């Protein structure tokens, strides 16, 4: 089977902070015959700060990224926040002829209305995991996981027609043998940058999310957002919180990746004791 | 009884024009308020803030903590039965608050946004370590979160050097006006 190539937008969180997320994501894609080409010279999407205080910069930062995508390649975005910024910009561009003129003038490329911008979940849906694993049910057997989406499933009204990915992690993890825990806080926002400017407020929500998951019997959380992952790790006020995995880490592990020992030491809450206890990782 | 001032519709008109959102469709059903994870940190819940804008209570709306505490997680607007993009309204209110020079209820949050934008202007990408150092320096607060910072450094979650883009001209095009620190008086 030939490899399918995607243009890859890592975003700042994965590029400079969530290294284990990037490494496991790349490993996973490689294992399922997907080639990722990092978007050449990509820039920050503007994050929460640009749209909070500078409307023009918030509009222009994502547009340059859109202009850099090689024609015909779908653009894969790993960070849920970057995804919304780029999708909204793309939609704005599609609906505004004047903005298209400005875009073509600024970036010297014709606007391509056919560009496909997708999240990792969308790509995951296109993969037949069973084609790569003979005994899927044994791969994460016995581990009690609490999927955590944070705000990534909440879409602003103009993106309401986007496909919903609710239940995707539940289905994937249980197909790999994990015991999926339901705890009611799967889609509670982690507080993103309030973690810096209002740490107490952030601590309150993060501690609530993790406590509820633990009360429901979870042994770990699983998230598909590097920002959420960081907040879960640094803002939990509990003495012995459960570890949090990146979704891509568990997927790569299930596929038999062997370089995961490089990822887990980057976690602040060590997940190794749990994995060893469940016999999922040999010491 | 609330006596509406003459020209009370002006604020709503401006915000509607800037954000492109018709928040007059709001039913005040409080779905947003019940869904908001950070309502505990706000002085007005989201629907009450929309009411302030509808009634032209400019000072109360622009000086509220609500507009800064909202992180734009979209939980409110994904449940809103009238599909009002409340975070987009917040964006326009913040912009107006900074432009009008009213008292800012959450200066730390503005200061954080400024530092983030400054690193994007400089490198084309954010640089977490620099953002944190400058933010703390301005706040003259080095002790809180020292433990978290050290842990993150140890686990290499704060890269020492920034990741940069090559095309500096592109940044000049995007940041036509230099990002300046907003001057905010501590209340």
């Amino acid at each position: 089977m030939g490899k399918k190539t995607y243009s890859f937008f890592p975003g700042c969180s994965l590029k400079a902070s969530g290294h284990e997320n990037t490494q496991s994501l790349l490993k996973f894609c490689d294992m399922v015959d997907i080639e990722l080409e990092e978007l050449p010279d990509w820039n920050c999407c503007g994050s929460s700060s640009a749209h909070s205080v500078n409307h023009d910069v918030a509009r222009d930062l994502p547009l340059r990224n859109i202009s850099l995508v090689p024609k015909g390649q779908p653009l894969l975005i790993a960070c849920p926040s970057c995804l919304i910024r780029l999708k909204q910009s793309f939609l704005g561009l599609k609906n505004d002829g004047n903005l298209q003129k400005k875009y073509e003038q600024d970036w010297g490329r014709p606007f391509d209305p056919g560009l496909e911008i997708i999240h990792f979940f969308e790509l995951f849906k296109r993969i037949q995991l069973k084609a790569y694993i003979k005994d899927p049910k044994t791969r994460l057997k016995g581990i009690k996981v609490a999927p955590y989406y944070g705000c990534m499933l909440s879409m602003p009204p103009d993106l309401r027609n986007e496909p919903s990915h609710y239940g995707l992690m539940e289905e994937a993890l249980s197909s790999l043998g994990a015991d999926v825990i339901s705890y009611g806080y799967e889609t509670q926002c982690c507080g993103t940058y309030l973690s810096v400017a209002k740490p107490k407020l952030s601590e309150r929500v993060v501690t609530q999310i993790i406590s509820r998951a633990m009360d429901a019997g979870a042994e770990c959380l699983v998230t598909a957002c590097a920002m959420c992952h960081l907040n879960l790790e640094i803002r939990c006020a509990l003495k012995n919180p459960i570890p949090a995995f990146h979704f891509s880490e568990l997927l790569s592990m299930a596929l038999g990746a062997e370089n995961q020992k490089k990822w887990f030491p980057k976690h602040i809450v060590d997940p190794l004791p749990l994995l060893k206890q469940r016999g999922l990782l040999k010491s | 009884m609330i006596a509406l001032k003459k020209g009370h519709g002006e604020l709503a008109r401006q915000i509607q024009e800037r954000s492109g959102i018709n928040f007059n469709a709001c039913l005040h059903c409080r779905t947003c308020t019940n869904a908001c994870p950070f309502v505990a940190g706000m002085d007005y819940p989201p629907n009450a803030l929309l009411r302030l804008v509808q009634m032209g209570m400019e000072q109360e709306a622009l000086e509220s903590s609500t507009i800064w505490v909202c992180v734009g997680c979209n939980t409110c607007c994904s449940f809103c039965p009238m599909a009002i993009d409340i975070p987009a309204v917040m964006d326009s209110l913040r912009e107006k608050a900074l432009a009008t020079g009213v008292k800012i209820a959450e200066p730390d949050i503005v200061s954080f946004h400024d530092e983030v934008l400054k690193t994007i202007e400089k490198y084309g990408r954010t640089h977490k370590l620099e953002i944190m150092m400058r933010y703390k320096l301005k706040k003259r607060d080095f002790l809180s979160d020292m433990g978290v910072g050290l842990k993150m450094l140890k686990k290499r979650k704060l890269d020492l050097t920034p990741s940069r883009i090559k095309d500096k001209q592109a940044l000049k095009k995007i940041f036509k006006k230099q990002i300046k620190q907003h001057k905010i008086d501590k209340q």
Side-chain angles (χ1 to χ4, degrees):
Chain A
M1 201 159 47
K3 285 204 169 197
K4 167 114 177 129
T5 306
Y6 285 77
S7 210
F8 175 50
F9 182 86
C12 302
S13 278
L14 269 85
K15 187 71 183 179
S17 176
H19 298 291
E20 72 282 11
N21 191 0
T22 320
Q23 287 159 6
S24 54
L25 186 87
L26 293 176
K27 184 73 193 168
F28 174 80
C29 287
D30 182 49
M31 292 175 101
V32 295
D33 298 318
I34 282 167
E35 195 164 320
L36 299 183
E37 274 178 17
E38 190 168 319
L39 190 67
D41 211 37
W42 59 271
N43 56 263
C44 170
C45 71
S47 173
S48 306
S49 297
H51 77 88
S52 282
V53 298
N54 195 322
H55 185 272
D56 294 342
V57 166
R59 181 197 59 210
D60 290 340
L61 281 169
L63 292 184
R64 176 174 176 270
N65 289 318
I66 289 172
S67 80
L68 297 171
V69 185
K71 176 114 182 125
Q73 268 185 21
L75 178 64
L76 174 72
I77 301 185
C79 166
S81 298
C82 300
L83 178 83
I84 290 192
R85 299 269 80 85
L86 266 81
K87 275 212 168 186
Q88 266 190 321
S89 289
F90 182 69
L91 191 71
L93 197 56
K94 227 175 178 172
N95 296 334
D96 183 346
N98 287 332
L99 189 58
Q100 280 173 30
K101 270 183 215 148
K102 181 184 149 32
Y103 166 89
E104 288 173 3
Q105 228 167 33
D106 278 353
W107 309 118
R109 289 199 51 186
F111 167 60
D112 172 15
L115 171 67
E116 197 186 15
I117 301 176
I118 63 166
H119 181 246
F120 175 68
F121 278 176
E122 192 62 44
L123 178 137
F124 181 75
K125 270 188 179 168
R126 298 174 188 183
I127 297 163
Q128 290 291 328
L129 210 53
K130 281 181 192 150
Y132 299 93
I133 311 179
K134 278 184 200 142
D135 49 352
K137 284 277 179 194
T138 62
R139 297 306 173 101
L140 297 176
K141 195 173 173 8
I143 192 166
K144 293 190 172 69
V145 297
Y148 175 65
Y149 295 92
C151 70
M152 66 185 296
L153 302 177
S154 301
M155 289 286 156
D158 56 1
L159 294 178
R160 270 188 181 179
N161 292 333
E162 293 293 318
S164 164
H165 300 300
Y166 198 87
L168 183 139
M169 286 201 284
E170 283 84 342
E171 208 182 305
L173 295 165
S174 83
S175 79
L176 293 167
D179 195 353
V180 176
I181 302 292
S182 169
Y183 61 107
Y185 281 71
E186 290 86 347
T187 59
Q188 174 91 288
C189 169
C190 74
T192 129
Y193 59 83
L194 291 182
S195 179
V196 178
K198 303 281 271 181
K200 285 282 159 210
L201 206 51
S202 204
E203 190 181 290
R204 190 181 144 137
V205 288
V206 168
T207 306
Q208 193 176 39
I209 294 161
I210 300 184
S211 312
R212 292 301 161 93
M214 289 171 73
D215 289 348
E219 296 168 324
C220 61
L221 292 133
V222 185
T223 164
C225 170
M227 178 81 235
C228 289
H229 189 266
L230 184 63
N231 276 349
L232 291 175
E233 289 213 303
I234 65 172
R235 286 296 169 219
C236 183
L238 301 173
K239 265 202 180 134
N240 292 306
I242 50 176
F245 290 101
H246 297 282
F247 186 43
S248 53
E249 286 178 329
L250 287 186
L251 289 177
S252 308
M253 224 180 79
L255 280 172
E258 278 167 1
N259 57 341
Q260 69 273 67
K261 285 198 180 136
K262 287 186 196 155
W263 316 330
F264 297 138
K266 295 202 171 83
H267 287 227
I268 289 170
V269 182
D270 188 5
L272 286 174
L274 171 67
L275 293 174
K276 284 178 187 161
Q277 200 187 341
R278 290 282 164 269
L280 297 173
L281 199 67
K282 286 174 197 93
S283 41
Chain B
M1 195 174 77
I2 300 166
L4 294 176
K5 286 182 202 140
K6 201 179 166 198
H8 73 273
E10 182 55 18
L11 177 68
R13 195 196 57 75
Q14 285 172 8
I15 297 298
Q16 196 165 324
E17 190 182 293
R18 185 63 172 157
S19 63
I21 306 299
N22 177 16
F23 47 85
N24 282 325
C26 175
L27 308 168
H28 295 283
C29 68
R30 296 173 59 89
T31 300
C32 52
T33 295
N34 287 320
C36 178
F38 304 107
V39 77
M42 298 173 171
D43 43 10
Y44 295 98
N47 74 298
L49 189 83
L50 291 185
R51 200 79 184 112
L52 291 178
V53 182
Q54 287 171 336
M55 297 201 292
M57 297 170 78
E58 182 162 330
Q59 196 180 357
E60 287 84 348
L62 300 185
E63 290 185 356
S64 71
S65 66
T66 306
I67 60 173
W68 298 106
V69 170
C70 166
V71 296
C73 71
N74 293 321
T75 311
C76 56
C77 63
S78 64
F79 289 117
C80 174
M82 300 308 284
I84 300 170
D85 191 338
I86 302 168
V89 177
M90 300 282 186
D91 282 349
S92 299
L93 287 169
R94 281 189 282 260
E95 196 181 38
K96 187 164 171 70
L98 291 175
T100 350
V102 294
K103 267 192 188 171
I104 299 293
E106 297 287 350
D108 288 349
I109 297 179
V110 180
S111 155
F112 171 77
H113 289 320
D114 285 340
E115 295 305 341
V116 171
L117 283 175
K118 263 197 242 165
T119 65
I120 305 176
E121 184 185 28
K122 234 160 89 183
Y123 309 119
R125 294 175 190 166
T126 59
H127 184 216
K128 275 202 177 106
L129 183 63
E130 188 171 323
I131 295 167
M132 291 312 298
M133 300 291 274
R134 295 185 58 102
Y135 171 80
K136 291 278 182 196
L137 187 71
K138 213 161 81 230
K139 239 185 126 192
R140 297 179 192 280
D141 160 30
F142 294 100
L143 293 176
S144 72
D145 273 347
M146 179 79 104
V148 171
L150 289 174
K151 259 189 227 162
M152 286 179 66
L153 276 171
K154 201 176 143 209
K155 296 287 180 181
R156 310 218 172 140
K157 288 188 180 292
L158 287 170
D159 280 8
L160 298 179
T161 50
S163 168
R164 309 160 181 261
I165 71 165
K166 292 185 197 104
D167 188 354
K168 293 275 148 53
Q169 287 308 315
L171 287 176
K172 279 190 187 147
K173 221 181 271 178
I174 296 171
F175 290 87
K176 282 176 205 89
K177 282 184 226 147
Q178 208 190 349
I179 296 294
K180 284 202 184 110
Q181 199 70 53
H182 288 99
K183 274 193 187 145
I184 294 153
D185 299 326
K186 291 264 177 197
Q187 287 173 51

